[in-house]
Amino acid sequence: MDVQIYQYDAVIVGAGLAGLAAAEELTTAGKKVAVITKLHPLRSHSGAAQGGINAALGEGDTTELHEFDTIKGSDYLADQDCVEMMCTKAPETIRWIESLGALFSRNDKGDIAIRPFGGQSKPRACYAKDRTGLTLLQTIYEQAHRAGIEVFDEWYAADIIYKDGKVSGVAAFNIRNMQPAIFNAKAVMFATGGYGRAFKINSNAHANTGDALSIVARHGLPLEDMEFVQFHPSGLGGSGILISEAARGEGGRLFNSLGERFMEKYAPNALELASRDVVARAITKEVLEGRGIGPEKDAVWIDLTHLDPQIILTKLPELRELAITFLGQDMLKEPIMIAATAHYSMGGIPVDINCHVRKSPTKLVEGFYAAGECSCVSVHGANRLGANSVLEALLFGRHAGQNILEDLDWLELRKATAEDAQRMLDEINWIKTNNGTESVPAIRTELQQSMTDNAAVFRKEETLLLQREILNTLTERYKNIRISDKSNTFNTELQEAIELGHMIEFSKFIVEGAILRKESRGAHYREDYPQRDDENFMKHTYSKLNKDGTISTEYGEVVPGKFEPQARSY
């Protein structure tokens, strides 16, 4: 097949809130922009965000309080300059997206309604019922579409063109017919979301396979803080489908099999509204110690039956429908089953405050940007507060677009050739022709189960070292895969094989970072090192993939600020 070469000012991979916000900024300014996405923009995972988007708009709230809560929530690993920018610009971001047409829920005074979320000293999650992400995604997509963005949906971005410290495009193929193409550009931005599919029970869409992380790592570029994976306290029992923190924000209470409101033991002041890592560990501990409920005794109850039914019907309608559909449990009449679910990645592609990708803690890659969950600007540190992710995606996506716009004045276009697609074509050809004995679904199932067993909410040296060996074994077995579909038309079996390769690779970063971080901080909890160790580990992990498949690690400084580290309690 001939490789088509397209030329643009900027190419954005991913069409969720971050990608579309950047595309809207650039296109409105008259730049030629291509958006490449595995699935239609309105199917992006940003649309799954339910509970809200943070901004200090409420009575008695301040941006400084928002900063403090975020930094405390991060277990003091967040970079305080980035947090300050995010929290300061949050109210303006809400006004901006509202001016584009976003319809938020309102209170009795007609102001944007806000609800309390975990780990926050004031209610500040602005919401649209329990469909906040979808409301914002539809709004930004409509406006980006109106501005004239070009969307290549159902295209798979398989590689970046990276030479001499500069990124100058993306190699991709059309999922419909396997047509390869190069999208040549002065600037490339990744906004591809998270990687929760590495775990068996997760809240992520099937598309969230973390491809961008592995693509970056294969070029010798680092990934940052990958050991910090957030487990959301409330996934539906058995499936992990998300029940938003809004359920606890509106007054939901957690109970174990003995009828105990167990959060009184773990967070006596904040109770169910402690930060996510605290609540997720509490739920998991209750289950592990035999106080779980349900057929497998692997869940706890969340009870909302004491609330006015109108609160559920007007503020949480989608959550009620999800529990009825997947569990047959109606939260108006009975408690529903929940358990911790892999949800969010605090780590990712390292970027500076202006979304430029780093090639080391102190050096940048020319023409390469990232924003949203795939990136690590480190506003979340070791643990993210609920409703800060939607804010980060929208705010830093827009900020990335503005910075790309400025940089386009001096960035030069390095002309691409068909040879720049060779790595992608070789990978496709290898998967199609490889005649091994291993199946992709079988390896993927073992990956997800073993990551859940050995590198999830509770970790220790023994299980992490075991998981390192399992990943090495799965890497060898992956070399022996075989797919039965050799066609060029919607070959999802081929796509899943490529995605599995990425999942195995970035899982190595999670495990290696967790082995080396001999402390407990935020979402990373080591049973053998239960205390936070600021002296040795108040630092960011930067890890690189070596040619032999091993991981090498160095550390970078955390940006300090006005908030000194202190013990965390809720």
Side-chain angles (χ1 to χ4, degrees), residues 55-98:
L57 296 177
E59 201 173 317
D61 201 3
T62 64
T63 55
E64 193 168 81
L65 263 180
H66 187 184
E67 285 173 52
F68 171 72
D69 290 342
T70 298
I71 290 157
K72 178 184 174 184
S74 80
D75 227 344
Y76 296 90
L77 200 73
D79 289 332
Q80 294 198 30
D81 56 344
C82 298
V83 173
E84 182 177 5
M85 188 183 94
M86 180 180 77
C87 297
T88 303
K89 287 191 171 186
E92 171 204 331
T93 302
I94 299 294
R95 289 191 288 271
W96 169 70
I97 194 67
E98 190 184 27

mmCIF file of all heavy atoms in Angstrom, residues 55-98:
data_model
loop_
_atom_site.group_PDB
_atom_site.id
_atom_site.type_symbol
_atom_site.label_atom_id
_atom_site.label_comp_id
_atom_site.label_asym_id
_atom_site.label_seq_id
_atom_site.Cartn_x
_atom_site.Cartn_y
_atom_site.Cartn_z
ATOM 1 N N ALA A 55 -13.970 24.084 40.777
ATOM 2 C CA ALA A 55 -13.587 25.496 40.704
ATOM 3 C C ALA A 55 -14.072 26.161 41.978
ATOM 4 O O ALA A 55 -15.170 25.862 42.471
ATOM 5 C CB ALA A 55 -14.196 26.183 39.484
ATOM 6 N N ALA A 56 -13.263 27.078 42.517
ATOM 7 C CA ALA A 56 -13.609 27.751 43.778
ATOM 8 C C ALA A 56 -14.624 28.860 43.505
ATOM 9 O O ALA A 56 -14.283 30.033 43.426
ATOM 10 C CB ALA A 56 -12.351 28.309 44.430
ATOM 11 N N LEU A 57 -15.876 28.450 43.360
ATOM 12 C CA LEU A 57 -16.958 29.396 43.067
ATOM 13 C C LEU A 57 -17.922 29.570 44.245
ATOM 14 O O LEU A 57 -18.738 30.485 44.242
ATOM 15 C CB LEU A 57 -17.753 28.924 41.838
ATOM 16 C CG LEU A 57 -17.016 28.865 40.496
ATOM 17 C CD1 LEU A 57 -17.944 28.311 39.421
ATOM 18 C CD2 LEU A 57 -16.500 30.233 40.089
ATOM 19 N N GLY A 58 -17.833 28.677 45.226
ATOM 20 C CA GLY A 58 -18.810 28.677 46.306
ATOM 21 C C GLY A 58 -18.519 29.719 47.373
ATOM 22 O O GLY A 58 -17.418 30.282 47.460
ATOM 23 N N GLU A 59 -19.527 29.948 48.212
ATOM 24 C CA GLU A 59 -19.400 30.920 49.300
ATOM 25 C C GLU A 59 -18.315 30.475 50.278
ATOM 26 O O GLU A 59 -18.298 29.328 50.732
ATOM 27 C CB GLU A 59 -20.748 31.027 50.024
ATOM 28 C CG GLU A 59 -20.911 32.307 50.818
ATOM 29 C CD GLU A 59 -22.328 32.431 51.370
ATOM 30 O OE1 GLU A 59 -23.295 32.150 50.641
ATOM 31 O OE2 GLU A 59 -22.445 32.805 52.551
ATOM 32 N N GLY A 60 -17.385 31.373 50.584
ATOM 33 C CA GLY A 60 -16.321 31.070 51.531
ATOM 34 C C GLY A 60 -15.167 30.275 50.947
ATOM 35 O O GLY A 60 -14.183 29.985 51.637
ATOM 36 N N ASP A 61 -15.272 29.891 49.672
ATOM 37 C CA ASP A 61 -14.204 29.126 49.038
ATOM 38 C C ASP A 61 -13.209 30.081 48.384
ATOM 39 O O ASP A 61 -13.562 31.195 47.993
ATOM 40 C CB ASP A 61 -14.784 28.179 47.979
ATOM 41 C CG ASP A 61 -13.842 27.032 47.645
ATOM 42 O OD1 ASP A 61 -12.768 26.935 48.277
ATOM 43 O OD2 ASP A 61 -14.183 26.230 46.754
ATOM 44 N N THR A 62 -11.951 29.645 48.266
ATOM 45 C CA THR A 62 -10.919 30.448 47.610
ATOM 46 C C THR A 62 -10.048 29.545 46.759
ATOM 47 O O THR A 62 -9.977 28.327 46.988
ATOM 48 C CB THR A 62 -10.004 31.154 48.637
ATOM 49 O OG1 THR A 62 -9.286 30.146 49.382
ATOM 50 C CG2 THR A 62 -10.802 32.032 49.583
ATOM 51 N N THR A 63 -9.372 30.153 45.781
ATOM 52 C CA THR A 63 -8.462 29.354 44.954
ATOM 53 C C THR A 63 -7.310 28.817 45.803
ATOM 54 O O THR A 63 -6.787 27.731 45.528
ATOM 55 C CB THR A 63 -7.910 30.189 43.786
ATOM 56 O OG1 THR A 63 -7.291 31.375 44.285
ATOM 57 C CG2 THR A 63 -9.011 30.567 42.819
ATOM 58 N N GLU A 64 -6.935 29.534 46.844
ATOM 59 C CA GLU A 64 -5.850 29.053 47.711
ATOM 60 C C GLU A 64 -6.278 27.802 48.484
ATOM 61 O O GLU A 64 -5.482 26.874 48.665
ATOM 62 C CB GLU A 64 -5.412 30.157 48.676
ATOM 63 C CG GLU A 64 -4.098 29.822 49.381
ATOM 64 C CD GLU A 64 -3.500 31.023 50.110
ATOM 65 O OE1 GLU A 64 -3.967 31.295 51.230
ATOM 66 O OE2 GLU A 64 -2.597 31.655 49.556
ATOM 67 N N LEU A 65 -7.517 27.753 48.937
ATOM 68 C CA LEU A 65 -8.037 26.540 49.585
ATOM 69 C C LEU A 65 -8.041 25.367 48.607
ATOM 70 O O LEU A 65 -7.710 24.241 48.977
ATOM 71 C CB LEU A 65 -9.465 26.783 50.092
ATOM 72 C CG LEU A 65 -9.660 27.158 51.564
ATOM 73 C CD1 LEU A 65 -11.145 27.355 51.843
ATOM 74 C CD2 LEU A 65 -9.070 26.104 52.494
ATOM 75 N N HIS A 66 -8.442 25.643 47.378
ATOM 76 C CA HIS A 66 -8.443 24.611 46.327
ATOM 77 C C HIS A 66 -7.015 24.090 46.126
ATOM 78 O O HIS A 66 -6.797 22.873 46.028
ATOM 79 C CB HIS A 66 -9.004 25.206 45.025
ATOM 80 C CG HIS A 66 -9.211 24.205 43.931
ATOM 81 N ND1 HIS A 66 -9.634 24.567 42.671
ATOM 82 C CD2 HIS A 66 -9.047 22.858 43.876
ATOM 83 C CE1 HIS A 66 -9.729 23.498 41.907
ATOM 84 N NE2 HIS A 66 -9.370 22.443 42.617
ATOM 85 N N GLU A 67 -6.040 25.007 46.103
ATOM 86 C CA GLU A 67 -4.630 24.605 45.974
ATOM 87 C C GLU A 67 -4.222 23.703 47.137
ATOM 88 O O GLU A 67 -3.617 22.650 46.939
ATOM 89 C CB GLU A 67 -3.712 25.835 45.980
ATOM 90 C CG GLU A 67 -3.692 26.654 44.714
ATOM 91 C CD GLU A 67 -2.868 27.923 44.928
ATOM 92 O OE1 GLU A 67 -1.708 27.813 45.401
ATOM 93 O OE2 GLU A 67 -3.389 29.021 44.652
ATOM 94 N N PHE A 68 -4.540 24.146 48.358
ATOM 95 C CA PHE A 68 -4.123 23.377 49.534
ATOM 96 C C PHE A 68 -4.720 21.975 49.502
ATOM 97 O O PHE A 68 -4.025 20.979 49.738
ATOM 98 C CB PHE A 68 -4.518 24.095 50.832
ATOM 99 C CG PHE A 68 -4.300 23.231 52.048
ATOM 100 C CD1 PHE A 68 -3.014 22.965 52.504
ATOM 101 C CD2 PHE A 68 -5.373 22.652 52.715
ATOM 102 C CE1 PHE A 68 -2.795 22.138 53.605
ATOM 103 C CE2 PHE A 68 -5.163 21.826 53.813
ATOM 104 C CZ PHE A 68 -3.877 21.577 54.259
ATOM 105 N N ASP A 69 -6.021 21.880 49.223
ATOM 106 C CA ASP A 69 -6.675 20.568 49.188
ATOM 107 C C ASP A 69 -6.044 19.662 48.135
ATOM 108 O O ASP A 69 -5.864 18.463 48.354
ATOM 109 C CB ASP A 69 -8.171 20.735 48.894
ATOM 110 C CG ASP A 69 -8.932 21.368 50.048
ATOM 111 O OD1 ASP A 69 -8.420 21.369 51.183
ATOM 112 O OD2 ASP A 69 -10.048 21.887 49.806
ATOM 113 N N THR A 70 -5.710 20.246 46.976
ATOM 114 C CA THR A 70 -5.113 19.471 45.883
ATOM 115 C C THR A 70 -3.728 18.964 46.268
ATOM 116 O O THR A 70 -3.386 17.802 46.025
ATOM 117 C CB THR A 70 -5.025 20.345 44.616
ATOM 118 O OG1 THR A 70 -6.353 20.729 44.225
ATOM 119 C CG2 THR A 70 -4.363 19.601 43.469
ATOM 120 N N ILE A 71 -2.931 19.818 46.894
ATOM 121 C CA ILE A 71 -1.558 19.448 47.269
ATOM 122 C C ILE A 71 -1.572 18.454 48.426
ATOM 123 O O ILE A 71 -0.832 17.459 48.420
ATOM 124 C CB ILE A 71 -0.739 20.708 47.591
ATOM 125 C CG1 ILE A 71 -0.482 21.486 46.288
ATOM 126 C CG2 ILE A 71 0.576 20.361 48.264
ATOM 127 C CD1 ILE A 71 -0.181 22.950 46.478
ATOM 128 N N LYS A 72 -2.445 18.678 49.391
ATOM 129 C CA LYS A 72 -2.599 17.699 50.479
ATOM 130 C C LYS A 72 -3.070 16.363 49.908
ATOM 131 O O LYS A 72 -2.543 15.299 50.250
ATOM 132 C CB LYS A 72 -3.603 18.211 51.516
ATOM 133 C CG LYS A 72 -3.860 17.237 52.666
ATOM 134 C CD LYS A 72 -4.938 17.741 53.609
ATOM 135 C CE LYS A 72 -5.289 16.694 54.659
ATOM 136 N NZ LYS A 72 -6.404 17.125 55.534
ATOM 137 N N GLY A 73 -4.056 16.411 49.024
ATOM 138 C CA GLY A 73 -4.565 15.186 48.395
ATOM 139 C C GLY A 73 -3.483 14.443 47.637
ATOM 140 O O GLY A 73 -3.460 13.213 47.602
ATOM 141 N N SER A 74 -2.560 15.199 47.035
ATOM 142 C CA SER A 74 -1.482 14.599 46.242
ATOM 143 C C SER A 74 -0.412 13.950 47.109
ATOM 144 O O SER A 74 0.544 13.387 46.583
ATOM 145 C CB SER A 74 -0.820 15.673 45.374
ATOM 146 O OG SER A 74 0.098 16.452 46.128
ATOM 147 N N ASP A 75 -0.584 14.030 48.426
ATOM 148 C CA ASP A 75 0.429 13.602 49.389
ATOM 149 C C ASP A 75 1.744 14.337 49.144
ATOM 150 O O ASP A 75 2.831 13.779 49.271
ATOM 151 C CB ASP A 75 0.637 12.083 49.374
ATOM 152 C CG ASP A 75 0.662 11.484 50.781
ATOM 153 O OD1 ASP A 75 0.817 12.259 51.751
ATOM 154 O OD2 ASP A 75 0.545 10.250 50.924
ATOM 155 N N TYR A 76 1.610 15.601 48.759
ATOM 156 C CA TYR A 76 2.714 16.557 48.622
ATOM 157 C C TYR A 76 3.690 16.200 47.497
ATOM 158 O O TYR A 76 4.815 16.667 47.470
ATOM 159 C CB TYR A 76 3.422 16.754 49.964
ATOM 160 C CG TYR A 76 2.482 17.377 50.965
ATOM 161 C CD1 TYR A 76 1.688 16.583 51.789
ATOM 162 C CD2 TYR A 76 2.307 18.757 51.014
ATOM 163 C CE1 TYR A 76 0.762 17.155 52.674
ATOM 164 C CE2 TYR A 76 1.392 19.332 51.883
ATOM 165 C CZ TYR A 76 0.616 18.528 52.695
ATOM 166 O OH TYR A 76 -0.300 19.096 53.548
ATOM 167 N N LEU A 77 3.223 15.409 46.529
ATOM 168 C CA LEU A 77 4.069 15.099 45.366
ATOM 169 C C LEU A 77 3.711 15.963 44.147
ATOM 170 O O LEU A 77 4.431 15.950 43.159
ATOM 171 C CB LEU A 77 3.955 13.609 44.999
ATOM 172 C CG LEU A 77 5.112 13.065 44.154
ATOM 173 C CD1 LEU A 77 6.373 12.928 44.996
ATOM 174 C CD2 LEU A 77 4.754 11.726 43.523
ATOM 175 N N ALA A 78 2.609 16.691 44.219
ATOM 176 C CA ALA A 78 2.241 17.568 43.097
ATOM 177 C C ALA A 78 3.216 18.736 43.007
ATOM 178 O O ALA A 78 3.759 19.190 44.019
ATOM 179 C CB ALA A 78 0.818 18.093 43.284
ATOM 180 N N ASP A 79 3.438 19.219 41.770
ATOM 181 C CA ASP A 79 4.271 20.410 41.571
ATOM 182 C C ASP A 79 3.427 21.648 41.848
ATOM 183 O O ASP A 79 2.421 21.890 41.174
ATOM 184 C CB ASP A 79 4.817 20.437 40.142
ATOM 185 C CG ASP A 79 5.877 19.369 39.913
ATOM 186 O OD1 ASP A 79 6.555 18.996 40.880
ATOM 187 O OD2 ASP A 79 6.017 18.907 38.766
ATOM 188 N N GLN A 80 3.844 22.443 42.832
ATOM 189 C CA GLN A 80 2.961 23.485 43.347
ATOM 190 C C GLN A 80 2.762 24.649 42.379
ATOM 191 O O GLN A 80 1.732 25.323 42.421
ATOM 192 C CB GLN A 80 3.452 23.969 44.712
ATOM 193 C CG GLN A 80 3.350 22.863 45.780
ATOM 194 C CD GLN A 80 3.396 23.390 47.201
ATOM 195 O OE1 GLN A 80 2.969 24.496 47.479
ATOM 196 N NE2 GLN A 80 3.904 22.568 48.124
ATOM 197 N N ASP A 81 3.723 24.882 41.459
ATOM 198 C CA ASP A 81 3.493 25.933 40.461
ATOM 199 C C ASP A 81 2.363 25.551 39.511
ATOM 200 O O ASP A 81 1.512 26.378 39.155
ATOM 201 C CB ASP A 81 4.775 26.246 39.680
ATOM 202 C CG ASP A 81 5.393 25.022 38.996
ATOM 203 O OD1 ASP A 81 5.036 23.878 39.345
ATOM 204 O OD2 ASP A 81 6.252 25.216 38.100
ATOM 205 N N CYS A 82 2.325 24.282 39.116
ATOM 206 C CA CYS A 82 1.270 23.798 38.206
ATOM 207 C C CYS A 82 -0.090 23.798 38.909
ATOM 208 O O CYS A 82 -1.108 24.157 38.310
ATOM 209 C CB CYS A 82 1.609 22.405 37.701
ATOM 210 S SG CYS A 82 3.127 22.329 36.730
ATOM 211 N N VAL A 83 -0.105 23.376 40.178
ATOM 212 C CA VAL A 83 -1.353 23.365 40.947
ATOM 213 C C VAL A 83 -1.899 24.788 41.093
ATOM 214 O O VAL A 83 -3.103 25.025 40.937
ATOM 215 C CB VAL A 83 -1.139 22.715 42.335
ATOM 216 C CG1 VAL A 83 -2.389 22.868 43.201
ATOM 217 C CG2 VAL A 83 -0.782 21.240 42.190
ATOM 218 N N GLU A 84 -1.002 25.719 41.395
ATOM 219 C CA GLU A 84 -1.432 27.110 41.561
ATOM 220 C C GLU A 84 -2.066 27.640 40.275
ATOM 221 O O GLU A 84 -3.114 28.290 40.304
ATOM 222 C CB GLU A 84 -0.239 27.986 41.954
ATOM 223 C CG GLU A 84 -0.634 29.446 42.184
ATOM 224 C CD GLU A 84 0.521 30.318 42.649
ATOM 225 O OE1 GLU A 84 1.674 29.821 42.720
ATOM 226 O OE2 GLU A 84 0.282 31.501 42.945
ATOM 227 N N MET A 85 -1.445 27.326 39.133
ATOM 228 C CA MET A 85 -2.005 27.784 37.869
ATOM 229 C C MET A 85 -3.378 27.166 37.612
ATOM 230 O O MET A 85 -4.327 27.849 37.223
ATOM 231 C CB MET A 85 -1.068 27.454 36.705
ATOM 232 C CG MET A 85 -1.509 28.092 35.391
ATOM 233 S SD MET A 85 -0.460 27.633 33.996
ATOM 234 C CE MET A 85 -1.370 26.239 33.367
ATOM 235 N N MET A 86 -3.497 25.858 37.862
ATOM 236 C CA MET A 86 -4.754 25.167 37.612
ATOM 237 C C MET A 86 -5.881 25.727 38.474
ATOM 238 O O MET A 86 -6.978 26.017 37.984
ATOM 239 C CB MET A 86 -4.604 23.663 37.858
ATOM 240 C CG MET A 86 -5.889 22.871 37.612
ATOM 241 S SD MET A 86 -5.725 21.097 37.888
ATOM 242 C CE MET A 86 -5.767 21.012 39.681
ATOM 243 N N CYS A 87 -5.612 25.883 39.760
ATOM 244 C CA CYS A 87 -6.665 26.331 40.677
ATOM 245 C C CYS A 87 -7.029 27.795 40.437
ATOM 246 O O CYS A 87 -8.203 28.180 40.530
ATOM 247 C CB CYS A 87 -6.233 26.112 42.120
ATOM 248 S SG CYS A 87 -5.964 24.366 42.522
ATOM 249 N N THR A 88 -6.037 28.614 40.098
ATOM 250 C CA THR A 88 -6.290 30.029 39.839
ATOM 251 C C THR A 88 -7.126 30.219 38.576
ATOM 252 O O THR A 88 -7.999 31.095 38.523
ATOM 253 C CB THR A 88 -4.948 30.787 39.699
ATOM 254 O OG1 THR A 88 -4.179 30.592 40.892
ATOM 255 C CG2 THR A 88 -5.175 32.273 39.492
ATOM 256 N N LYS A 89 -6.854 29.389 37.564
ATOM 257 C CA LYS A 89 -7.561 29.524 36.287
ATOM 258 C C LYS A 89 -8.869 28.734 36.233
ATOM 259 O O LYS A 89 -9.589 28.797 35.239
ATOM 260 C CB LYS A 89 -6.658 29.067 35.136
ATOM 261 C CG LYS A 89 -5.530 30.036 34.816
ATOM 262 C CD LYS A 89 -4.855 29.657 33.505
ATOM 263 C CE LYS A 89 -3.886 30.733 33.047
ATOM 264 N NZ LYS A 89 -3.335 30.420 31.708
ATOM 265 N N ALA A 90 -9.174 27.963 37.298
ATOM 266 C CA ALA A 90 -10.370 27.112 37.277
ATOM 267 C C ALA A 90 -11.670 27.904 37.100
ATOM 268 O O ALA A 90 -12.493 27.568 36.238
ATOM 269 C CB ALA A 90 -10.424 26.249 38.535
ATOM 270 N N PRO A 91 -11.906 28.989 37.878
ATOM 271 C CA PRO A 91 -13.163 29.725 37.683
ATOM 272 C C PRO A 91 -13.310 30.284 36.265
ATOM 273 O O PRO A 91 -14.398 30.215 35.672
ATOM 274 C CB PRO A 91 -13.062 30.858 38.724
ATOM 275 C CG PRO A 91 -12.152 30.317 39.794
ATOM 276 C CD PRO A 91 -11.147 29.506 39.037
ATOM 277 N N GLU A 92 -12.208 30.792 35.717
ATOM 278 C CA GLU A 92 -12.232 31.318 34.349
ATOM 279 C C GLU A 92 -12.552 30.202 33.346
ATOM 280 O O GLU A 92 -13.269 30.417 32.359
ATOM 281 C CB GLU A 92 -10.851 31.926 34.040
ATOM 282 C CG GLU A 92 -10.638 32.333 32.597
ATOM 283 C CD GLU A 92 -9.156 32.366 32.221
ATOM 284 O OE1 GLU A 92 -8.307 32.611 33.101
ATOM 285 O OE2 GLU A 92 -8.870 32.136 31.035
ATOM 286 N N THR A 93 -12.039 28.996 33.610
ATOM 287 C CA THR A 93 -12.299 27.852 32.719
ATOM 288 C C THR A 93 -13.774 27.484 32.721
ATOM 289 O O THR A 93 -14.355 27.175 31.678
ATOM 290 C CB THR A 93 -11.431 26.650 33.141
ATOM 291 O OG1 THR A 93 -10.051 27.036 33.104
ATOM 292 C CG2 THR A 93 -11.647 25.460 32.220
ATOM 293 N N ILE A 94 -14.403 27.526 33.886
ATOM 294 C CA ILE A 94 -15.843 27.255 33.975
ATOM 295 C C ILE A 94 -16.624 28.305 33.179
ATOM 296 O O ILE A 94 -17.543 27.970 32.412
ATOM 297 C CB ILE A 94 -16.318 27.253 35.450
ATOM 298 C CG1 ILE A 94 -15.605 26.163 36.258
ATOM 299 C CG2 ILE A 94 -17.836 27.093 35.535
ATOM 300 C CD1 ILE A 94 -15.930 24.755 35.859
ATOM 301 N N ARG A 95 -16.249 29.567 33.349
ATOM 302 C CA ARG A 95 -16.952 30.630 32.616
ATOM 303 C C ARG A 95 -16.756 30.481 31.101
ATOM 304 O O ARG A 95 -17.676 30.726 30.317
ATOM 305 C CB ARG A 95 -16.470 32.004 33.098
ATOM 306 C CG ARG A 95 -16.951 32.367 34.508
ATOM 307 C CD ARG A 95 -16.686 33.825 34.850
ATOM 308 N NE ARG A 95 -15.273 34.087 35.078
ATOM 309 C CZ ARG A 95 -14.684 33.971 36.269
ATOM 310 N NH1 ARG A 95 -15.376 33.593 37.328
ATOM 311 N NH2 ARG A 95 -13.388 34.238 36.406
ATOM 312 N N TRP A 96 -15.548 30.062 30.723
ATOM 313 C CA TRP A 96 -15.251 29.878 29.290
ATOM 314 C C TRP A 96 -16.110 28.772 28.677
ATOM 315 O O TRP A 96 -16.760 28.972 27.651
ATOM 316 C CB TRP A 96 -13.758 29.562 29.119
ATOM 317 C CG TRP A 96 -13.380 29.095 27.746
ATOM 318 C CD1 TRP A 96 -13.356 29.835 26.602
ATOM 319 C CD2 TRP A 96 -12.974 27.771 27.381
ATOM 320 N NE1 TRP A 96 -12.954 29.050 25.545
ATOM 321 C CE2 TRP A 96 -12.711 27.782 25.993
ATOM 322 C CE3 TRP A 96 -12.798 26.582 28.080
ATOM 323 C CZ2 TRP A 96 -12.283 26.648 25.302
ATOM 324 C CZ3 TRP A 96 -12.373 25.457 27.387
ATOM 325 C CH2 TRP A 96 -12.123 25.496 26.024
ATOM 326 N N ILE A 97 -16.142 27.590 29.324
ATOM 327 C CA ILE A 97 -16.904 26.481 28.744
ATOM 328 C C ILE A 97 -18.406 26.773 28.805
ATOM 329 O O ILE A 97 -19.163 26.381 27.920
ATOM 330 C CB ILE A 97 -16.543 25.124 29.421
ATOM 331 C CG1 ILE A 97 -17.067 23.942 28.593
ATOM 332 C CG2 ILE A 97 -17.065 25.040 30.838
ATOM 333 C CD1 ILE A 97 -16.409 23.755 27.261
ATOM 334 N N GLU A 98 -18.832 27.530 29.831
ATOM 335 C CA GLU A 98 -20.243 27.911 29.894
ATOM 336 C C GLU A 98 -20.574 28.882 28.754
ATOM 337 O O GLU A 98 -21.634 28.786 28.125
ATOM 338 C CB GLU A 98 -20.566 28.548 31.245
ATOM 339 C CG GLU A 98 -22.067 28.733 31.446
ATOM 340 C CD GLU A 98 -22.398 29.459 32.739
ATOM 341 O OE1 GLU A 98 -21.577 30.249 33.220
ATOM 342 O OE2 GLU A 98 -23.507 29.231 33.243
#
